Amino acid sequence: MELRIVATDLPGRSCAPGPGFPGADEVHGGVQRRGRPGELLGLRPGDAPDATWSLECAAVRTPRGVDLRGPYLQGGPHARFVYLSWGSVDRAGGFAMFRRAKLMLDAVEPETVEAAVVSGVLVARLGLTDGRGNPLCAAVRPPAVTWSAG
């Protein structure tokens, strides 16, 4: 099965300073691999018009319903999420993470998950800029994200 994340409204290449945070330049975002915080899928510049990430996952039936599993899905059974990591990229290409958003899969309606198992695609649509104009962070659930079967 494919988990497709379709993102718009990226925050730009700079992040303003705030309490306890000096700000950041050359902002990029990507999907963090489970157990490997430095390994990111599809690193995109913060000023891109949009971003799409496609993650392969398995839909496993359990007594509690469908559990999604895969190398980019974090968390335990039925409490999975995807980390969208934000960081600065230096001239050598090094990535220094400064915040993350948790795209919560336990917030997907069971009917939507079942339809996605049939279609083979679960789609998340969201904007990646928070109310202050910075990269989206914290737990992301509806209405900040819309889930559908592909």
Side-chain angles (χ1 to χ4, degrees), residues 70-134:
Y72 292 93
L73 277 60
Q74 314 278 340
H78 301 285
R80 308 279 185 206
F81 59 91
V82 175
Y83 270 136
L84 298 175
S85 295
W86 295 103
S88 294
V89 175
D90 64 23
R91 291 180 186 195
F95 180 84
M97 183 180 63
F98 62 84
R99 68 174 23 171
R100 304 187 278 206
K102 285 173 80 169
L103 190 56
M104 306 303 293
L105 296 172
D106 63 355
V108 182
E109 293 292 333
E111 300 80 19
T112 302
V113 174
E114 288 295 338
V117 169
V118 172
S119 72
V121 182
L122 177 62
V123 181
R125 294 182 189 282
L126 73 160
L128 293 180
T129 300
D130 71 11
R132 294 185 173 134
N134 290 324

Coordinates of all heavy atoms in Angstrom, one line a residue, residues 70-134:
G70 N 5.7 0.3 8.3 CA 6.6 0.6 7.2 C 7.8 1.3 7.7 O 7.8 1.8 8.9
P71 N 8.9 1.4 6.9 CA 10.1 2.0 7.4 C 10.0 3.5 7.8 O 10.9 4.0 8.5 CB 11.1 1.8 6.3 CG 10.3 1.5 5.0 CD 9.0 0.9 5.5
Y72 N 9.0 4.2 7.3 CA 8.9 5.6 7.6 C 7.7 5.9 8.6 O 7.4 7.0 8.9 CB 8.7 6.4 6.4 CG 10.0 6.4 5.6 CD1 10.2 5.5 4.6 CD2 11.0 7.3 5.8 CE1 11.4 5.5 3.8 CE2 12.2 7.3 5.1 CZ 12.4 6.4 4.2 OH 13.6 6.4 3.5
L73 N 7.1 4.8 9.1 CA 6.1 5.0 10.1 C 6.6 4.7 11.5 O 7.3 3.7 11.8 CB 4.9 4.0 9.8 CG 3.9 4.5 8.8 CD1 4.6 4.7 7.4 CD2 2.8 3.5 8.7
Q74 N 6.4 5.7 12.4 CA 6.9 5.7 13.7 C 5.8 5.1 14.7 O 4.7 5.1 14.3 CB 7.3 7.1 14.2 CG 8.1 7.9 13.2 CD 9.6 7.6 13.2 OE1 10.1 7.1 14.2 NE2 10.3 7.9 12.1
G75 N 6.2 4.9 15.9 CA 5.2 4.5 16.9 C 4.8 3.0 16.9 O 5.2 2.3 16.1
G76 N 4.0 2.7 18.0 CA 3.6 1.3 18.1 C 2.4 1.0 17.4 O 1.8 1.8 16.7
P77 N 1.9 -0.3 17.5 CA 0.7 -0.7 16.8 C -0.5 0.2 17.2 O -0.7 0.5 18.3 CB 0.5 -2.2 17.3 CG 1.8 -2.6 17.8 CD 2.5 -1.4 18.3
H78 N -1.2 0.6 16.1 CA -2.4 1.4 16.2 C -2.1 2.8 16.8 O -3.1 3.5 17.2 CB -3.5 0.7 17.0 CG -3.9 -0.6 16.3 ND1 -4.6 -0.7 15.1 CD2 -3.6 -1.9 16.6 CE1 -4.8 -1.9 14.8 NE2 -4.2 -2.7 15.6
A79 N -0.9 3.2 16.9 CA -0.5 4.5 17.4 C 0.6 5.0 16.5 O 1.5 5.7 16.9 CB 0.0 4.4 18.8
R80 N 0.5 4.8 15.2 CA 1.5 5.1 14.2 C 1.4 6.6 13.8 O 0.3 7.2 13.9 CB 1.4 4.3 12.9 CG 1.3 2.8 13.1 CD 2.7 2.2 13.3 NE 2.5 0.7 13.4 CZ 3.3 -0.1 14.0 NH1 4.4 0.4 14.6 NH2 3.1 -1.4 14.0
F81 N 2.5 7.1 13.4 CA 2.6 8.5 12.9 C 3.8 8.6 12.0 O 4.7 7.8 11.9 CB 2.7 9.5 14.0 CG 3.9 9.3 15.0 CD1 5.1 10.0 14.7 CD2 3.8 8.5 16.1 CE1 6.2 9.9 15.5 CE2 4.9 8.4 16.9 CZ 6.1 9.1 16.6
V82 N 3.8 9.7 11.2 CA 4.9 10.0 10.3 C 5.5 11.3 10.8 O 4.8 12.3 11.1 CB 4.4 10.2 8.9 CG1 5.5 10.6 8.0 CG2 3.8 8.9 8.4
Y83 N 6.9 11.4 10.9 CA 7.6 12.6 11.3 C 7.9 13.4 10.0 O 8.6 12.9 9.1 CB 8.9 12.3 12.0 CG 8.8 12.2 13.5 CD1 9.5 11.2 14.1 CD2 8.1 13.1 14.3 CE1 9.5 11.1 15.5 CE2 8.1 13.0 15.7 CZ 8.8 12.0 16.3 OH 8.8 11.9 17.6
L84 N 7.4 14.6 9.9 CA 7.8 15.5 8.9 C 8.8 16.4 9.6 O 8.5 17.2 10.5 CB 6.6 16.3 8.4 CG 5.5 15.5 7.7 CD1 4.4 16.5 7.3 CD2 6.1 14.8 6.5
S85 N 10.1 16.2 9.3 CA 11.2 16.9 10.0 C 11.6 18.2 9.2 O 11.7 18.2 8.0 CB 12.4 16.0 10.1 OG 12.1 14.9 10.9
W86 N 11.8 19.3 10.0 CA 12.3 20.6 9.5 C 13.6 20.9 10.0 O 13.9 20.7 11.2 CB 11.3 21.7 10.0 CG 9.9 21.6 9.4 CD1 8.8 21.1 10.1 CD2 9.5 21.9 8.1 NE1 7.8 21.1 9.2 CE2 8.1 21.6 8.0 CE3 10.2 22.4 7.0 CZ2 7.4 21.8 6.9 CZ3 9.4 22.6 5.8 CH2 8.1 22.3 5.8
G87 N 14.5 21.3 9.1 CA 15.8 21.7 9.5 C 16.5 22.6 8.6 O 16.0 23.0 7.5
S88 N 17.7 23.1 9.0 CA 18.5 23.9 8.1 C 19.5 23.0 7.4 O 20.1 22.1 7.9 CB 19.3 24.9 9.0 OG 18.4 25.9 9.6
V89 N 19.7 23.4 6.1 CA 20.7 22.7 5.3 C 21.9 23.6 5.1 O 21.7 24.7 4.6 CB 20.1 22.2 3.9 CG1 21.2 21.6 3.1 CG2 19.0 21.2 4.2
D90 N 23.1 23.1 5.5 CA 24.3 23.9 5.3 C 24.9 23.8 3.9 O 24.4 23.0 3.1 CB 25.3 23.6 6.4 CG 25.9 22.2 6.4 OD1 25.8 21.6 5.3 OD2 26.3 21.7 7.5
R91 N 26.0 24.5 3.7 CA 26.6 24.5 2.3 C 27.1 23.1 1.9 O 27.2 22.8 0.7 CB 27.7 25.5 2.3 CG 27.2 26.9 2.3 CD 28.3 27.9 2.3 NE 27.8 29.2 2.5 CZ 28.4 30.3 2.2 NH1 29.7 30.3 1.8 NH2 27.8 31.5 2.5
A92 N 27.5 22.3 2.9 CA 28.0 20.9 2.6 C 26.8 19.9 2.5 O 27.0 18.8 2.2 CB 28.9 20.5 3.7
G93 N 25.6 20.4 2.6 CA 24.4 19.5 2.5 C 24.0 18.9 3.8 O 23.1 18.0 3.8
G94 N 24.6 19.3 4.9 CA 24.3 18.7 6.2 C 22.9 19.3 6.7 O 22.6 20.4 6.4
F95 N 22.1 18.4 7.4 CA 20.8 18.8 7.8 C 20.8 18.9 9.3 O 21.2 17.9 10.0 CB 19.8 17.7 7.4 CG 18.4 18.0 7.8 CD1 17.6 18.8 7.0 CD2 17.8 17.3 8.9 CE1 16.2 19.0 7.4 CE2 16.5 17.5 9.3 CZ 15.7 18.4 8.5
A96 N 20.4 20.0 9.9 CA 20.3 20.2 11.3 C 18.8 20.4 11.7 O 18.3 21.5 11.5 CB 21.1 21.3 11.8
M97 N 18.2 19.4 12.2 CA 16.7 19.5 12.5 C 16.5 20.5 13.7 O 17.2 20.5 14.7 CB 16.2 18.1 12.9 CG 14.7 18.1 13.2 SD 14.0 16.5 13.7 CE 14.9 16.2 15.2
F98 N 15.4 21.3 13.5 CA 15.0 22.2 14.6 C 13.6 22.0 15.0 O 13.2 22.5 16.1 CB 15.3 23.6 14.3 CG 14.6 24.2 13.1 CD1 13.3 24.7 13.2 CD2 15.2 24.2 11.9 CE1 12.6 25.2 12.1 CE2 14.5 24.7 10.8 CZ 13.3 25.2 10.9
R99 N 12.8 21.3 14.3 CA 11.4 21.0 14.7 C 10.8 19.9 13.8 O 11.3 19.6 12.7 CB 10.5 22.2 14.7 CG 10.1 22.8 13.4 CD 9.1 24.0 13.4 NE 9.0 24.7 14.7 CZ 8.3 25.8 14.9 NH1 7.6 26.3 13.9 NH2 8.2 26.3 16.0
R100 N 9.7 19.2 14.3 CA 9.0 18.2 13.6 C 7.5 18.3 13.8 O 7.1 18.7 14.8 CB 9.4 16.8 14.1 CG 10.9 16.5 14.1 CD 11.1 15.0 14.4 NE 11.0 14.8 15.9 CZ 11.6 13.8 16.4 NH1 12.4 12.9 15.7 NH2 11.5 13.6 17.7
A101 N 6.8 17.8 12.8 CA 5.4 17.6 12.8 C 5.1 16.1 12.9 O 5.8 15.4 12.2 CB 4.7 18.3 11.6
K102 N 4.2 15.7 13.7 CA 3.8 14.3 13.8 C 2.4 14.2 13.1 O 1.4 14.6 13.6 CB 3.6 13.9 15.2 CG 4.9 13.7 16.0 CD 4.7 13.4 17.4 CE 4.3 12.0 17.7 NZ 4.3 11.7 19.1
L103 N 2.4 13.5 11.9 CA 1.2 13.3 11.2 C 0.6 12.0 11.8 O 1.1 10.9 11.5 CB 1.6 13.1 9.7 CG 0.5 13.1 8.7 CD1 -0.4 14.3 8.8 CD2 1.1 13.0 7.3
M104 N -0.5 12.2 12.5 CA -1.0 11.1 13.4 C -2.0 10.2 12.5 O -3.0 10.6 12.1 CB -1.8 11.7 14.5 CG -1.0 12.7 15.4 SD 0.6 12.0 16.0 CE -0.1 10.8 17.2
L105 N -1.5 9.0 12.4 CA -2.4 8.0 11.6 C -3.5 7.5 12.4 O -4.5 7.0 11.8 CB -1.5 6.9 11.1 CG -0.4 7.3 10.1 CD1 0.5 6.1 9.8 CD2 -1.0 7.8 8.8
D106 N -3.5 7.5 13.7 CA -4.6 7.1 14.5 C -5.8 8.0 14.4 O -6.9 7.7 14.9 CB -4.2 6.8 16.0 CG -3.8 8.1 16.7 OD1 -3.7 9.2 16.1 OD2 -3.5 8.0 17.9
A107 N -5.6 9.1 13.7 CA -6.7 10.1 13.5 C -7.5 9.8 12.2 O -8.5 10.5 11.9 CB -6.2 11.5 13.5
V108 N -7.0 8.8 11.4 CA -7.7 8.5 10.2 C -8.9 7.6 10.5 O -8.8 6.7 11.3 CB -6.8 7.7 9.2 CG1 -7.5 7.4 7.9 CG2 -5.5 8.4 9.0
E109 N -10.1 8.0 10.0 CA -11.3 7.3 10.2 C -11.2 5.8 9.7 O -10.6 5.6 8.7 CB -12.5 7.9 9.5 CG -12.9 9.3 10.1 CD -13.4 9.2 11.5 OE1 -14.0 8.2 11.8 OE2 -13.3 10.2 12.2
P110 N -11.6 4.8 10.5 CA -11.5 3.4 10.1 C -12.1 3.2 8.7 O -11.5 2.4 7.9 CB -12.3 2.7 11.1 CG -12.2 3.5 12.3 CD -12.3 5.0 11.8
E111 N -13.2 3.9 8.3 CA -13.8 3.7 7.0 C -12.8 4.1 5.9 O -12.8 3.5 4.8 CB -15.1 4.4 6.9 CG -16.2 4.0 7.8 CD -16.0 4.6 9.2 OE1 -15.3 5.6 9.4 OE2 -16.6 4.0 10.2
T112 N -12.1 5.2 6.2 CA -11.1 5.7 5.2 C -10.0 4.7 5.0 O -9.5 4.5 3.9 CB -10.6 7.1 5.6 OG1 -11.7 8.0 5.7 CG2 -9.6 7.7 4.6
V113 N -9.5 4.2 6.2 CA -8.4 3.2 6.1 C -8.9 2.0 5.3 O -8.1 1.5 4.4 CB -8.0 2.8 7.5 CG1 -7.0 1.6 7.4 CG2 -7.4 4.0 8.3
E114 N -10.1 1.5 5.5 CA -10.6 0.3 4.8 C -10.7 0.6 3.3 O -10.3 -0.2 2.5 CB -12.0 -0.1 5.3 CG -11.9 -0.7 6.7 CD -11.2 -2.1 6.7 OE1 -11.0 -2.7 5.7 OE2 -10.7 -2.5 7.8
A115 N -11.2 1.8 2.9 CA -11.2 2.2 1.5 C -9.8 2.3 0.9 O -9.6 1.9 -0.3 CB -12.0 3.5 1.4
A116 N -8.9 2.8 1.7 CA -7.5 2.9 1.2 C -6.9 1.5 1.0 O -6.1 1.3 0.1 CB -6.7 3.7 2.2
V117 N -7.2 0.5 1.9 CA -6.7 -0.8 1.7 C -7.2 -1.4 0.3 O -6.4 -2.0 -0.4 CB -7.1 -1.7 2.9 CG1 -6.9 -3.2 2.5 CG2 -6.4 -1.3 4.2
V118 N -8.4 -1.1 0.0 CA -9.0 -1.6 -1.3 C -8.4 -0.9 -2.4 O -8.0 -1.5 -3.4 CB -10.6 -1.4 -1.3 CG1 -11.1 -1.6 -2.7 CG2 -11.2 -2.2 -0.2
S119 N -8.2 0.5 -2.3 CA -7.6 1.2 -3.5 C -6.1 1.1 -3.6 O -5.5 1.3 -4.6 CB -8.0 2.7 -3.4 OG -7.3 3.3 -2.3
G120 N -5.5 0.8 -2.4 CA -4.0 0.7 -2.4 C -3.3 2.0 -2.1 O -2.1 2.1 -2.1
V121 N -4.1 3.1 -1.8 CA -3.5 4.4 -1.5 C -4.3 5.1 -0.4 O -5.5 5.2 -0.5 CB -3.5 5.3 -2.8 CG1 -2.8 6.6 -2.5 CG2 -2.8 4.6 -4.0
L122 N -3.5 5.6 0.6 CA -4.1 6.5 1.6 C -3.4 7.8 1.4 O -2.2 7.9 1.3 CB -3.8 6.0 3.0 CG -4.2 6.8 4.2 CD1 -5.7 7.0 4.2 CD2 -3.7 6.2 5.5
V123 N -4.2 8.9 1.3 CA -3.7 10.2 0.9 C -4.0 11.2 2.1 O -5.1 11.2 2.7 CB -4.4 10.8 -0.3 CG1 -3.9 12.2 -0.7 CG2 -4.2 9.9 -1.5
A124 N -2.9 11.9 2.5 CA -3.0 13.0 3.5 C -2.8 14.3 2.7 O -1.8 14.4 2.0 CB -1.9 12.8 4.6
R125 N -3.6 15.3 2.9 CA -3.5 16.6 2.3 C -3.4 17.6 3.4 O -4.3 17.6 4.3 CB -4.6 16.9 1.4 CG -4.7 16.0 0.2 CD -5.8 16.4 -0.8 NE -6.0 15.4 -1.8 CZ -5.2 15.3 -2.9 NH1 -4.2 16.1 -3.1 NH2 -5.4 14.4 -3.8
L126 N -2.4 18.5 3.4 CA -2.2 19.4 4.5 C -1.3 20.6 4.0 O -0.5 20.5 3.1 CB -1.6 18.8 5.7 CG -0.1 18.4 5.7 CD1 0.4 18.3 7.2 CD2 0.1 17.1 5.0
G127 N -1.5 21.7 4.7 CA -0.6 22.9 4.5 C 0.5 22.7 5.6 O 0.3 22.2 6.7
L128 N 1.7 23.2 5.2 CA 2.8 23.1 6.1 C 3.3 24.3 6.8 O 4.4 24.4 7.4 CB 4.0 22.5 5.3 CG 3.8 21.0 4.8 CD1 5.0 20.5 4.1 CD2 3.4 20.1 6.0
T129 N 2.5 25.4 6.8 CA 2.8 26.6 7.5 C 1.9 26.8 8.7 O 0.7 26.7 8.5 CB 2.8 27.8 6.6 OG1 3.7 27.6 5.5 CG2 3.1 29.1 7.3
D130 N 2.4 27.1 9.9 CA 1.6 27.3 11.0 C 1.0 28.7 11.1 O 1.3 29.5 10.2 CB 2.3 26.9 12.3 CG 3.4 27.9 12.7 OD1 3.5 29.0 12.2 OD2 4.2 27.5 13.7
G131 N 0.3 29.1 12.1 CA -0.3 30.4 12.2 C 0.6 31.5 12.3 O 0.2 32.7 12.1
R132 N 1.9 31.2 12.7 CA 2.9 32.3 12.8 C 3.7 32.4 11.5 O 4.7 33.2 11.5 CB 3.8 32.0 14.0 CG 3.0 32.1 15.3 CD 4.0 32.0 16.5 NE 3.3 32.2 17.7 CZ 3.4 31.5 18.8 NH1 4.2 30.4 18.7 NH2 2.8 31.8 19.9
G133 N 3.4 31.6 10.5 CA 4.2 31.6 9.3 C 5.5 30.8 9.4 O 6.3 30.8 8.5
N134 N 5.6 29.9 10.4 CA 6.7 29.0 10.5 C 6.4 27.6 10.1 O 5.2 27.3 9.9 CB 7.2 29.0 12.0 CG 7.8 30.3 12.4 OD1 8.5 30.9 11.6 ND2 7.6 30.7 13.6

